Amino acid sequence: MQIVVDLTRCQGYAQCVFLAPDVFQLHGEEGLLYAPAVPDDQLERVRQAAAACPVQAILIGREVSAGAE
């Protein structure tokens, strides 16, 4: 599954980092690094991270394609 984080929306709350640390990492105090291709064993954690994002900056699966249109 693919994900995209809208870094213009991301405010560095880091909820995703706490919920899916194998996919998301903070670089410095506010820079977010992430793996766009999510391993199968991390899918549920990434879904939880997307749901927990206060600014809804994480797009998953079909949302990634829709966001590109």
Side-chain angles (χ1 to χ4, degrees), residues 43-57:
L43 291 176
E44 185 56 33
R45 288 180 174 264
V46 169
R47 285 187 181 107
Q48 291 173 357
C53 180
V55 295
Q56 301 298 293

PDB file of all heavy atoms in Angstrom, residues 43-57:
ATOM      1  N   LEU A  43       0.222  -2.082   7.988  1.00  0.00           N
ATOM      2  CA  LEU A  43      -0.983  -1.439   7.445  1.00  0.00           C
ATOM      3  C   LEU A  43      -1.926  -0.932   8.530  1.00  0.00           C
ATOM      4  O   LEU A  43      -2.395   0.209   8.468  1.00  0.00           O
ATOM      5  CB  LEU A  43      -1.729  -2.389   6.516  1.00  0.00           C
ATOM      6  CG  LEU A  43      -1.039  -2.706   5.193  1.00  0.00           C
ATOM      7  CD1 LEU A  43      -1.846  -3.728   4.415  1.00  0.00           C
ATOM      8  CD2 LEU A  43      -0.839  -1.449   4.386  1.00  0.00           C
ATOM      9  N   GLU A  44      -2.224  -1.746   9.507  1.00  0.00           N
ATOM     10  CA  GLU A  44      -3.167  -1.330  10.546  1.00  0.00           C
ATOM     11  C   GLU A  44      -2.611  -0.170  11.360  1.00  0.00           C
ATOM     12  O   GLU A  44      -3.329   0.763  11.685  1.00  0.00           O
ATOM     13  CB  GLU A  44      -3.529  -2.509  11.464  1.00  0.00           C
ATOM     14  CG  GLU A  44      -4.600  -2.166  12.476  1.00  0.00           C
ATOM     15  CD  GLU A  44      -5.898  -1.617  11.851  1.00  0.00           C
ATOM     16  OE1 GLU A  44      -6.264  -2.031  10.733  1.00  0.00           O
ATOM     17  OE2 GLU A  44      -6.540  -0.764  12.490  1.00  0.00           O
ATOM     18  N   ARG A  45      -1.333  -0.206  11.658  1.00  0.00           N
ATOM     19  CA  ARG A  45      -0.709   0.901  12.405  1.00  0.00           C
ATOM     20  C   ARG A  45      -0.782   2.211  11.605  1.00  0.00           C
ATOM     21  O   ARG A  45      -1.044   3.263  12.157  1.00  0.00           O
ATOM     22  CB  ARG A  45       0.739   0.569  12.738  1.00  0.00           C
ATOM     23  CG  ARG A  45       0.885  -0.489  13.806  1.00  0.00           C
ATOM     24  CD  ARG A  45       2.368  -0.751  14.059  1.00  0.00           C
ATOM     25  NE  ARG A  45       2.549  -1.644  15.164  1.00  0.00           N
ATOM     26  CZ  ARG A  45       2.788  -1.238  16.414  1.00  0.00           C
ATOM     27  NH1 ARG A  45       2.870   0.028  16.688  1.00  0.00           N
ATOM     28  NH2 ARG A  45       2.944  -2.123  17.371  1.00  0.00           N
ATOM     29  N   VAL A  46      -0.557   2.111  10.300  1.00  0.00           N
ATOM     30  CA  VAL A  46      -0.610   3.309   9.457  1.00  0.00           C
ATOM     31  C   VAL A  46      -2.041   3.837   9.366  1.00  0.00           C
ATOM     32  O   VAL A  46      -2.264   5.051   9.405  1.00  0.00           O
ATOM     33  CB  VAL A  46      -0.007   3.029   8.066  1.00  0.00           C
ATOM     34  CG1 VAL A  46      -0.287   4.164   7.106  1.00  0.00           C
ATOM     35  CG2 VAL A  46       1.488   2.798   8.192  1.00  0.00           C
ATOM     36  N   ARG A  47      -3.014   2.945   9.278  1.00  0.00           N
ATOM     37  CA  ARG A  47      -4.418   3.392   9.284  1.00  0.00           C
ATOM     38  C   ARG A  47      -4.754   4.122  10.583  1.00  0.00           C
ATOM     39  O   ARG A  47      -5.428   5.149  10.573  1.00  0.00           O
ATOM     40  CB  ARG A  47      -5.348   2.200   9.088  1.00  0.00           C
ATOM     41  CG  ARG A  47      -5.371   1.690   7.677  1.00  0.00           C
ATOM     42  CD  ARG A  47      -6.436   0.616   7.484  1.00  0.00           C
ATOM     43  NE  ARG A  47      -6.406   0.127   6.132  1.00  0.00           N
ATOM     44  CZ  ARG A  47      -5.941  -1.060   5.765  1.00  0.00           C
ATOM     45  NH1 ARG A  47      -5.490  -1.905   6.668  1.00  0.00           N
ATOM     46  NH2 ARG A  47      -5.941  -1.418   4.495  1.00  0.00           N
ATOM     47  N   GLN A  48      -4.276   3.591  11.694  1.00  0.00           N
ATOM     48  CA  GLN A  48      -4.501   4.253  12.981  1.00  0.00           C
ATOM     49  C   GLN A  48      -3.804   5.607  13.026  1.00  0.00           C
ATOM     50  O   GLN A  48      -4.358   6.591  13.522  1.00  0.00           O
ATOM     51  CB  GLN A  48      -3.989   3.372  14.131  1.00  0.00           C
ATOM     52  CG  GLN A  48      -4.807   2.130  14.345  1.00  0.00           C
ATOM     53  CD  GLN A  48      -4.181   1.193  15.362  1.00  0.00           C
ATOM     54  OE1 GLN A  48      -3.097   1.437  15.891  1.00  0.00           O
ATOM     55  NE2 GLN A  48      -4.867   0.086  15.631  1.00  0.00           N
ATOM     56  N   ALA A  49      -2.597   5.670  12.475  1.00  0.00           N
ATOM     57  CA  ALA A  49      -1.852   6.930  12.442  1.00  0.00           C
ATOM     58  C   ALA A  49      -2.580   7.974  11.594  1.00  0.00           C
ATOM     59  O   ALA A  49      -2.682   9.140  11.983  1.00  0.00           O
ATOM     60  CB  ALA A  49      -0.446   6.693  11.892  1.00  0.00           C
ATOM     61  N   ALA A  50      -3.105   7.553  10.442  1.00  0.00           N
ATOM     62  CA  ALA A  50      -3.847   8.480   9.580  1.00  0.00           C
ATOM     63  C   ALA A  50      -5.093   8.995  10.286  1.00  0.00           C
ATOM     64  O   ALA A  50      -5.406  10.182  10.215  1.00  0.00           O
ATOM     65  CB  ALA A  50      -4.213   7.799   8.269  1.00  0.00           C
ATOM     66  N   ALA A  51      -5.792   8.111  10.983  1.00  0.00           N
ATOM     67  CA  ALA A  51      -6.998   8.515  11.702  1.00  0.00           C
ATOM     68  C   ALA A  51      -6.667   9.452  12.862  1.00  0.00           C
ATOM     69  O   ALA A  51      -7.456  10.339  13.192  1.00  0.00           O
ATOM     70  CB  ALA A  51      -7.739   7.285  12.221  1.00  0.00           C
ATOM     71  N   ALA A  52      -5.500   9.285  13.460  1.00  0.00           N
ATOM     72  CA  ALA A  52      -5.116  10.098  14.618  1.00  0.00           C
ATOM     73  C   ALA A  52      -4.510  11.440  14.237  1.00  0.00           C
ATOM     74  O   ALA A  52      -4.385  12.320  15.086  1.00  0.00           O
ATOM     75  CB  ALA A  52      -4.122   9.324  15.479  1.00  0.00           C
ATOM     76  N   CYS A  53      -4.156  11.623  12.976  1.00  0.00           N
ATOM     77  CA  CYS A  53      -3.521  12.880  12.555  1.00  0.00           C
ATOM     78  C   CYS A  53      -4.499  14.041  12.732  1.00  0.00           C
ATOM     79  O   CYS A  53      -5.562  14.066  12.092  1.00  0.00           O
ATOM     80  CB  CYS A  53      -3.084  12.777  11.099  1.00  0.00           C
ATOM     81  SG  CYS A  53      -2.282  14.283  10.506  1.00  0.00           S
ATOM     82  N   PRO A  54      -4.160  15.012  13.581  1.00  0.00           N
ATOM     83  CA  PRO A  54      -5.075  16.123  13.844  1.00  0.00           C
ATOM     84  C   PRO A  54      -5.400  16.980  12.617  1.00  0.00           C
ATOM     85  O   PRO A  54      -6.442  17.613  12.570  1.00  0.00           O
ATOM     86  CB  PRO A  54      -4.352  16.969  14.895  1.00  0.00           C
ATOM     87  CG  PRO A  54      -3.293  16.101  15.452  1.00  0.00           C
ATOM     88  CD  PRO A  54      -2.962  15.096  14.397  1.00  0.00           C
ATOM     89  N   VAL A  55      -4.500  16.996  11.629  1.00  0.00           N
ATOM     90  CA  VAL A  55      -4.725  17.827  10.443  1.00  0.00           C
ATOM     91  C   VAL A  55      -5.000  17.002   9.185  1.00  0.00           C
ATOM     92  O   VAL A  55      -5.037  17.531   8.080  1.00  0.00           O
ATOM     93  CB  VAL A  55      -3.537  18.793  10.209  1.00  0.00           C
ATOM     94  CG1 VAL A  55      -3.431  19.792  11.346  1.00  0.00           C
ATOM     95  CG2 VAL A  55      -2.235  18.040  10.036  1.00  0.00           C
ATOM     96  N   GLN A  56      -5.188  15.672   9.375  1.00  0.00           N
ATOM     97  CA  GLN A  56      -5.514  14.757   8.270  1.00  0.00           C
ATOM     98  C   GLN A  56      -4.531  14.905   7.107  1.00  0.00           C
ATOM     99  O   GLN A  56      -4.926  15.003   5.938  1.00  0.00           O
ATOM    100  CB  GLN A  56      -6.952  14.985   7.800  1.00  0.00           C
ATOM    101  CG  GLN A  56      -7.980  14.774   8.893  1.00  0.00           C
ATOM    102  CD  GLN A  56      -7.974  13.344   9.419  1.00  0.00           C
ATOM    103  OE1 GLN A  56      -8.325  12.435   8.688  1.00  0.00           O
ATOM    104  NE2 GLN A  56      -7.561  13.138  10.650  1.00  0.00           N
ATOM    105  N   ALA A  57      -3.230  14.878   7.416  1.00  0.00           N
ATOM    106  CA  ALA A  57      -2.194  15.063   6.407  1.00  0.00           C
ATOM    107  C   ALA A  57      -1.768  13.765   5.722  1.00  0.00           C
ATOM    108  O   ALA A  57      -1.041  13.812   4.739  1.00  0.00           O
ATOM    109  CB  ALA A  57      -0.969  15.724   7.040  1.00  0.00           C
TER     110      ALA A  57
END
